[in-house]
Amino acid sequence: MHQHDDIEWAESRSGKADHDLVALGIATAAIILFVGTGGTVMPQIVNSWMTHSYSSDILLSNAVLLNIALLIFGWRRYTDLHQEVHERRVAEQRAQALAERDPLTGCLNRRAGLPAIDRMLTRATESENEVAVMVLDLDNFKQINDLNGHKLGDRVLQAVAELLTSILPAGSIAIRMGGDEFACAISYAHHARARIENIADRLIEHIRMPIAHEGFEVEISTSLGIATTDEEDLEDAEMTAEVLIHRADIAMYQAKKRGRNGYFWFEPAMETELRFRNELEGAIRRGIALDEFVPYYEQQIDLRTGELVGFEMLARWNSPEYGLVNPDVFIPVAEENELISELSESLIRKALNDAKDWDPRLTLSVNISPVQMRNPLFAQQLLHLLVETGFPPSRFEIEITETSLHENLASVRTITTSLKNQGIKISLDDFGTGYASLAQLRNLPFDRLKIDRSFVAELTNDEKGAELVEAIVSLGQGLNLPITAEGIETAEALEALKSLGQFKGQGYLYGRPEDASTTKERLARTGLSKSVAGTETTGQAVAPRAADETAPIPPTIKGRLVG
């Protein structure tokens, strides 16, 4: 409570206490008076009532009756005031609980939780114990609310709170920080980290168990970060609840970055990295506003004929500060900070306008982020870009990853079906690295499978790699799905692929990705530019380039961000 509220509350309690004492004093005086006079007068009063005779002590009798009335009034007033004080005390306790507790989960809220951790830190210092703070964030919780409604989302939060209560040791603190983020604090003996790791493992394991509510059932995972006072290199730092939660939050972010459904201990280097990522996020926002992101194009070749059949658009960031930045650096940051949709829309618009000048037989494919596939309006937005630029849907192909299927299959089915109905081709990218099942391949409207570059790289070095590629080829043939191989970098890999069947391929063996102007010059030289291509022009074969003939790798982000 604030100081002003404390004063008002104290004054109110003092006033109630004064009224309480007055009522009690009246009742006490009435009792004493009644005891002093009632023993003598009461028999006379009763005798007078029974004989109907007039008594000379009638005034005294009236005084006794008045005394009885005062006694009853005083006692009744005292009991009423006592009940009122009790109800007020209960209401104050309830109000205090509401001010300190999250009403949905029963956990402490942030306002009350941080002081509770500070008190635990003080006690731990006195007893020479340590304190570990864990921050838990539920993975993909927003999708549960979006797909199943907030009732199921609320039930998930309640179930997590119940698990915290049941798994955490006695005396621990559980806090709902807000949304789907929880924090907890545990006091433990010096250098007994194994106990904390055991608790973290149990929390992760139990949270993964299915949660059912009103006919719905969901599975969810959590990413967990841990910070502790038991750090030799952190002894000089001032240990407060704010500091520990901040560090645990940074460690939790690392757990999400490394694949989620796990935990990480805080390390000082993580804070430096997070600070740098925050700077990078700001630079990306400025880059989007200043139109610094540009499309590059990687050739796609018919491996049987060597003919150029299309391009895949790849994002690059032409940053004045960092140089030419590869997408592996900025795409994850853009996805985490909900910048990917705006960034992707800008790049696709540029690519569609560029591709309008290509030979009409050349296709354009673009990668779509799993984040975009969660947006129910994505199909409409993409079709709007095609209409705006006048690019034919039949020449356009989107590539989605297996991660998209795992995260939100229903949304992917709706979006891909809508786009397929408009003539857009759908490819499953990085096939073999995720969770796609045969049923999903049969039920979703895919037009092509793309073999991940890691399998192509092992094609000539690893017998198992070759067997896996052969299995993917057989699966594609069985489902009547053409195949594109990514990452073709050697002549040996190219020959191995040719021996397995008919492929479309791409990779550095055919050249590095090029910007729009260089691509346009290439097409003009080969007669595949719309402005120079005649109706009888035949696409020219692209000769594979030896490794030492490839163009130099474009300059990438400097320092720590070399891509």
Side-chain angles (χ1 to χ4, degrees):
M1 292 185 183
H2 299 294
Q3 185 177 5
H4 178 69
D5 295 333
D6 289 340
I7 294 173
E8 287 188 350
W9 178 79
E11 291 176 348
S12 174
R13 290 294 301 270
S14 176
K16 289 293 181 182
D18 291 343
H19 290 307
D20 223 7
L21 289 173
V22 170
L24 181 61
I26 293 173
T28 301
I31 291 171
I32 294 173
L33 181 61
F34 179 77
V35 170
T37 60
T40 302
V41 177
M42 282 303 296
Q44 298 178 16
I45 295 174
V46 172
N47 181 60
S48 175
W49 285 350
M50 295 181 64
T51 59
H52 303 286
S53 60
Y54 173 77
S55 170
S56 58
D57 294 328
I58 188 65
L59 294 177
L60 185 59
S61 299
N62 290 338
V64 170
L65 293 176
L66 180 60
N67 177 226
I68 293 173
L70 287 173
L71 177 62
I72 295 172
F73 169 78
W75 184 255
R76 176 63 182 273
R77 181 59 180 161
Y78 172 75
T79 56
D80 287 347
L81 287 173
H82 183 75
Q83 179 65 24
E84 183 179 346
V85 170
H86 172 72
E87 291 175 355
R88 181 178 177 85
R89 186 177 296 114
V90 170
E92 288 169 350
Q93 292 172 348
R94 186 181 298 113
Q96 184 176 6
L98 289 173
E100 294 180 349
R101 297 277 173 180
D102 171 56
L104 178 64
T105 63
C107 295
L108 291 174
N109 57 30
R110 184 185 181 96
R111 178 183 177 184
L114 268 63
I117 295 177
D118 284 329
R119 291 192 293 270
M120 176 182 282
L121 288 169
T122 301
R123 293 193 300 270
T125 301
E126 294 170 352
S127 59
E128 298 185 350
N129 281 344
E130 307 293 344
V131 173
V133 170
M134 299 182 183
V135 170
L136 301 82
D137 188 86
L138 304 183
D139 300 328
N140 301 319
F141 178 75
K142 184 176 183 297
Q143 294 180 40
I144 293 179
N145 280 333
D146 292 344
L147 297 177
N148 303 293
H150 288 273
K151 285 187 177 180
L152 183 57
D154 289 348
R155 177 59 197 132
V156 169
L157 295 174
Q158 290 170 341
V160 171
E162 292 164 6
L163 283 173
L164 289 174
T165 302
S166 63
I167 292 176
L168 294 178
S172 299
I173 298 169
I175 308 168
R176 184 184 177 195
M177 301 296 289
D180 61 332
E181 187 173 272
F182 293 83
C184 52
I186 306 161
S187 180
Y188 67 100
H190 187 58
H191 289 321
R193 283 196 175 198
R195 182 187 181 206
I196 303 302
E197 291 181 344
N198 178 261
I199 293 171
D201 284 330
R202 290 178 62 197
L203 285 172
I204 291 170
E205 177 185 357
H206 284 77
I207 288 175
R208 288 190 64 184
M209 295 180 179
I211 298 172
H213 180 68
E214 295 182 355
F216 293 95
E217 186 175 272
V218 295
E219 294 184 10
I220 197 165
S221 62
T222 185
S223 298
L224 193 152
I226 312 172
T228 177
T229 56
D230 186 12
E231 287 282 0
E232 294 181 0
D233 57 343
L234 301 178
E235 287 181 353
D236 296 335
E238 181 183 358
M239 283 300 168
T240 65
E242 284 281 5
V243 170
L244 287 173
I245 284 179
H246 171 68
R247 290 174 173 171
D249 194 61
I250 293 173
M252 180 272 294
Y253 171 81
Q254 288 293 324
K256 283 191 177 293
K257 181 181 175 183
R258 304 294 175 86
R260 307 185 180 189
N261 194 42
Y263 68 84
F264 264 80
W265 288 87
F266 170 79
E267 298 175 1
M270 293 178 179
E271 194 160 18
T272 302
E273 180 180 348
L274 181 63
R275 187 180 303 111
F276 185 72
R277 288 181 71 88
N278 289 337
E279 295 173 0
L280 185 61
E281 177 195 344
I284 291 172
R285 291 184 184 275
R286 292 191 297 274
I288 293 175
L290 297 174
D291 202 27
E292 295 173 355
F293 292 89
V294 294
Y296 269 54
Y297 301 100
E298 183 174 21
Q299 300 175 74
Q300 294 182 324
I301 308 299
D302 184 325
L303 299 189
R304 181 177 58 85
T305 65
E307 187 176 318
L308 177 65
V309 293
F311 292 90
E312 178 182 356
M313 187 271 284
L314 303 172
R316 295 292 186 267
W317 180 15
N318 192 11
S319 168
E321 181 179 2
Y322 301 121
L324 191 65
V325 186
N326 285 336
D328 291 345
V329 174
F330 61 83
I331 291 296
V333 179
E335 288 178 332
E336 291 164 10
N337 295 280
E338 300 183 354
L339 301 172
I340 191 64
S341 295
E342 183 180 0
L343 173 59
S344 179
E345 181 178 343
S346 171
L347 288 168
I348 292 174
R349 179 181 287 107
K350 292 176 182 178
L352 292 174
N353 282 317
D354 290 340
K356 286 193 301 182
D357 292 331
W358 302 346
D359 186 283
R361 291 165 299 173
L362 298 179
T363 61
L364 171 68
S365 64
V366 299
N367 293 287
I368 303 301
S369 166
V371 176
Q372 293 173 272
M373 296 302 291
R374 301 172 196 160
N375 179 6
L377 299 178
F378 172 70
Q380 298 178 31
Q381 294 169 350
L382 196 57
L383 293 171
H384 176 75
L385 285 175
L386 290 171
V387 173
E388 175 189 325
T389 58
F391 192 79
S394 59
R395 292 176 54 198
F396 190 58
E397 183 176 298
I398 67 167
E399 300 179 3
I400 63 175
T401 63
E402 293 186 58
T403 305
S404 301
L405 309 185
H406 178 62
E407 290 185 356
N408 195 346
L409 182 59
S411 177
V412 170
R413 180 182 290 110
T414 300
I415 291 172
T416 54
T417 300
S418 177
L419 295 175
K420 176 80 170 180
N421 290 338
Q422 299 300 319
I424 296 174
K425 303 295 191 300
I426 314 292
S427 291
L428 182 58
D429 197 11
D430 299 338
F431 182 68
T433 62
Y435 306 91
S437 67
L438 183 59
Q440 290 169 340
L441 292 178
R442 291 175 60 89
N443 295 329
L444 291 172
F446 291 116
D447 297 286
R448 179 174 293 274
L449 298 179
K450 294 194 71 174
I451 302 177
D452 184 69
R453 65 180 62 249
S454 61
F455 301 136
V456 175
E458 296 297 327
L459 191 57
T460 57
N461 302 325
D462 186 348
E463 183 178 343
K464 290 184 178 180
E467 292 175 352
L468 181 55
V469 173
E470 291 177 7
I472 295 174
V473 171
S474 298
L475 179 62
Q477 292 172 346
L479 295 174
N480 195 28
L481 291 175
I483 295 177
T484 296
E486 296 182 293
I488 304 174
E489 299 186 4
T490 65
E492 292 78 11
L494 174 60
E495 292 304 317
L497 287 169
K498 284 182 177 180
S499 68
L500 294 176
Q502 187 172 349
F503 285 83
K504 187 164 74 171
Q506 60 190 85
Y508 291 168
L509 185 63
Y510 293 98
R512 300 279 176 166
E514 299 170 330
D515 61 21
S517 61
T518 307
T519 300
K520 186 174 182 179
E521 292 172 2
R522 170 187 294 278
L523 295 178
R525 290 195 306 268
T526 57
L528 290 174
S529 175
K530 187 175 181 181
S531 59
V532 300
T535 56
E536 302 298 325
T537 301
T538 302
Q540 298 185 24
V542 178
R545 305 170 65 177
D548 58 353
E549 293 177 342
T550 56
I553 300 175
T556 56
I557 193 167
K558 302 173 183 177
R560 288 166 290 180
L561 292 182
V562 174

